Every structure is written in C-alpha cells, then in structure tokens.
Amino acid sequence: MPLGIRVDDTVFASVTSADPTTGLATGDVESQLTTAIDTLEGLLERGGMSLENIERVDAYASGTSPDTLGKLLTDTLAPRTKVTRIFAQPAILRSGQRLRLDVIATQNGARPELRHIRVAANEAPMAVRIGPLLFAYDVTPVNATSGRIDSEATQEQVATAFENLDRVLAAAGMERTQLLRIAGYFRDLGEKDLLNRRMVTVFPNWSQKPVHKYVPTALPPGVSFSLQAIGLMADDRRIIEIEGIKHNDPISLGAIAGNVFISSRVQARLESTAADQARRLLDSHVRRLVEHVGGTVDDVTHMTWGIGDPAFAVDIATEYQAVWSGDDAPQLTIVEADFPHSPMPRVEFTALLKA
C-alpha cells in the first residue's frame, strides 16, 4: 500500500508496485518502476506537490541489481525532479517486490531535519522522523536480526511488530508516551481483538493509551499483520475522552500533543441513511471533539471516511461541502472496505489547532 504524510512544506512518500487488492508485486523491474512512479505522482498530488518538488530519493532493490535500478531511476525519474542522479541499495523487501522508493518533496525552500529508521540492518527502513514528528509507516513483524518473519501465526506477528515499534521509538529518541495513533493492518479483520488485547497490555494505564484502529488490507504471503504509528516529540501529550462518547472496544477517543490532534475512528449509533449518519458524525463527533480540545472545525486538516457501500460517497461529499468550502477545506479521503458490523459511514480526522 502506498504511504505518505505531509509536515508543513515537506511530503514524505514511500511507494512500491504492489497491487492494492492482493498486496503482491509482479513483473520485471522496468514495469514495477513505471507503476511505482505513477503511484508516487498520485500521492504527491494529494499532498499538494508534484514530481518536480522531489529533492531526495532513497531507492531499495531486491532481486535486481542496485546499479541497474539506480541507472533506470537516473534515466527516467531524476529528470522530472530536483535530483540529478539516483543511487539504489540492496534490501529485503516483501514478496515479489523488486524495488521501493522513499521520497522527500519540499516547497518554499523547506529544509527538514530527516532521519530514516531501520530495525533490521538488511531491511529497508520502517520509519522516518521529520523534525519532531515520527511516521512509522511500515512496521512489519520481521526478526530484527535476520530480517525474516519467524512465524505465520498472527498473534506472534502482532507481538513482534510491537517489539519492532519499540525499537523504532528508541532509535528516534522517543517514548511510548509520545505516540498519538497506532493503526493495525490485518489480512483477516476477524483477528482484530489481538490488537485490542496488545494495546491494553502495552498501555495498561488508560490515560496513557494512544488512539488505535484496525484496518482490513491485502498483505503479501506470510504476512498477516503490520502496523503504522504516528508520534510527536513533545512532553504535553494528552489522551482525550468525553463523557457520553465511548467505543465498544478499548480505544481512546483522541490524542493531542502541542497543537496536533488526532481522533479515533467513530461510527457510533446508526442512522437510517448514510446522509443522516454523515451529518450526525460531523456535528456530534467532529465538531464536538475539536471544540473540546480548544479548536474549531476550521482547524481540521484531514478527514478519512470509511464506507462499505460506494454509493455512500456522494452523501459524504454533500455533507462535507455543507461544512467546508474553498481552498482551506480539509483534505477528504473516502475508503471503501468490508468493515465489520455495518457498511454505514465512520470517520476519523486530524486537526492543527491555531495558536
């Protein structure tokens, strides 16, 4: 799955050629590179940038010569960026993947402090720290010594991925108490309680437990779980709860550090139509929660809606446009998936509170 994040005037993106429906990458290195560049272009566009904004490319090769990949990148990608030459290095990648591209794009002369973080020396990085923000974008259940997966049992993979997250935090100079959100990606969402139990074990104090969510996704053979995490190097992180709003699972409602607020994903009581559901969530969840932490709906920067029926996308867009319009509207992402319990809309959001 393609991954990206924008921090001020910097976008970090990590892409492969994996098929989003199967998690598999096929074809020779040239065809995989074409797919990866197309995916990268789309990600950067969503972040308000283009290939021309790229100023750094870290390329990883598996099953192909790093020199071959470096030359292909220098000939095909580099002329469309600020980079004159691109080098590749060998790494263990997921099944069938011949390459991975980790890219930094910037605007307005940004010069971010950047640190790539590895867990296994022979594997591609699992995380990046951009200034004070940690984006652990691909924390896999690999053995930190061998770079291989020791067990196909999901319970073991969940435990190993959390151990690797601790290694990422240590390398970034951060603590568990600075995490804002953890997202668990499952091949079989019926195993989601493995994540719920691990979160309670790792964070026994409810007031210290970051937001978490579980997501159904296509993963490569042998991988049944991986995770992402976002953290901020700040000493004022708080876990947010509101009387009368509570998850059925042991999930925190939101987390705030500095002026960064991240909510959990909420569906709550079901309405009779998707439009009514979206309207109620925008008012009773998004507006209420952001005002609870001292902001307004104008501080919301990104919203992700989950739906089980593609027809609901129109209802969400209509209700969204009733609240926001113009260039300052938050970025809107709508994800269609086989969510448990109900196909009705659910929402999560990020806000940057104004001083």
Side-chain angles (χ1 to χ4, degrees):
M1 52 190 168
L3 310 160
I5 192 168
R6 177 162 183 157
V7 182
D8 297 325
D9 289 323
T10 299
V11 167
F12 169 82
S14 179
V15 298
T16 69
S17 64
D19 185 318
T21 62
T22 66
L24 298 176
T26 59
D28 59 20
V29 65
E30 288 87 354
S31 64
Q32 289 200 19
L33 180 57
T34 298
T35 301
I37 292 174
D38 288 345
T39 302
L40 175 61
E41 198 164 12
L43 261 182
L44 290 175
E45 183 178 351
R46 286 187 61 80
M49 297 196 193
S50 69
L51 296 178
E52 294 177 353
N53 296 110
I54 293 174
E55 66 172 45
R56 175 171 171 173
V57 179
D58 290 280
Y60 304 94
S62 178
T64 192
S65 162
D67 291 339
T68 298
L69 178 58
K71 185 177 186 308
L72 283 170
L73 286 164
T74 298
D75 292 343
T76 59
L77 179 60
R80 305 170 69 184
T81 73
K82 302 175 186 178
V83 181
T84 57
R85 188 173 181 184
I86 300 173
F87 296 92
Q89 55 188 296
I92 296 176
L93 299 177
R94 294 184 177 182
S95 178
Q97 293 178 4
R98 295 182 178 274
L99 61 94
R100 191 180 98 185
L101 306 179
D102 288 359
V103 169
I104 290 290
T106 63
Q107 290 175 333
N108 302 321
R111 290 292 180 267
E113 174 196 351
L114 190 73
R115 185 192 303 180
H116 291 281
I117 299 172
R118 297 174 184 262
V119 167
N122 54 350
E123 213 194 46
M126 291 186 177
V128 63
R129 212 187 90 189
I130 306 171
L133 186 134
L134 174 70
F135 181 35
Y137 52 91
D138 192 25
V139 181
T140 59
V142 298
N143 182 297
T145 301
S146 68
R148 306 290 183 181
I149 293 177
D150 293 332
S151 172
E152 292 192 6
T154 306
Q155 183 172 347
E156 297 301 321
Q157 292 196 12
V158 171
T160 302
F162 270 83
E163 291 169 2
N164 287 337
L165 178 58
D166 281 339
R167 293 184 176 98
V168 166
L169 289 168
M174 297 175 67
E175 306 287 339
R176 288 176 177 174
T177 53
Q178 293 172 314
L179 289 171
L180 296 173
R181 184 182 68 197
I182 292 173
Y185 292 84
F186 286 91
R187 176 189 299 279
D188 178 4
L189 202 56
E191 298 181 304
K192 67 181 179 65
D193 282 339
L194 293 174
L195 176 60
N196 288 332
R197 290 196 290 269
R198 178 60 55 171
M199 289 295 296
V200 172
T201 299
V202 173
F203 302 97
N205 185 339
W206 187 277
S207 67
Q208 295 296 321
K209 185 160 60 64
V211 171
H212 77 276
K213 66 176 181 178
Y214 30 80
V215 184
T217 194
L219 294 170
V223 182
S224 56
F225 177 82
S226 67
L227 67 81
Q228 288 181 13
I230 293 177
L232 191 68
M233 187 170 280
D235 296 328
D236 62 346
R237 190 206 68 169
R238 293 181 292 125
I239 303 305
I240 303 301
E241 300 296 338
I242 296 180
E243 185 70 27
I245 303 179
K246 190 173 180 63
H247 289 277
N248 292 326
D249 289 335
I251 299 175
S252 300
L253 195 60
I256 186 170
N259 71 328
V260 179
F261 175 76
I262 295 180
S263 85
S264 61
R265 183 177 62 207
V266 169
Q267 184 181 53
R269 186 185 73 248
L270 296 179
E271 300 291 344
S272 58
T273 68
D276 289 341
Q277 180 86 3
R279 190 179 310 117
R280 183 180 60 78
L281 285 173
L282 284 169
D283 187 60
S284 65
H285 176 59
V286 176
R287 187 184 302 276
R288 183 179 177 189
L289 194 49
V290 75
E291 290 178 354
H292 181 78
V293 295
T296 72
V297 291
D298 292 334
D299 296 327
V300 176
T301 58
H302 186 269
M303 306 190 76
T304 298
W305 290 81
I307 55 175
D309 184 335
F312 296 161
V314 174
D315 299 307
I316 290 171
T318 299
E319 298 305 324
Y320 163 88
Q321 290 165 4
V323 179
W324 295 280
S325 62
D327 295 338
D328 293 332
Q331 187 177 71
L332 175 65
T333 299
I334 300 176
V335 177
E336 183 189 349
D338 185 17
F339 289 100
H341 308 310
S342 168
M344 294 291 276
R346 70 253 3 247
V347 68
E348 59 190 279
F349 69 94
T350 301
L352 296 179
L353 307 185
K354 297 178 179 65

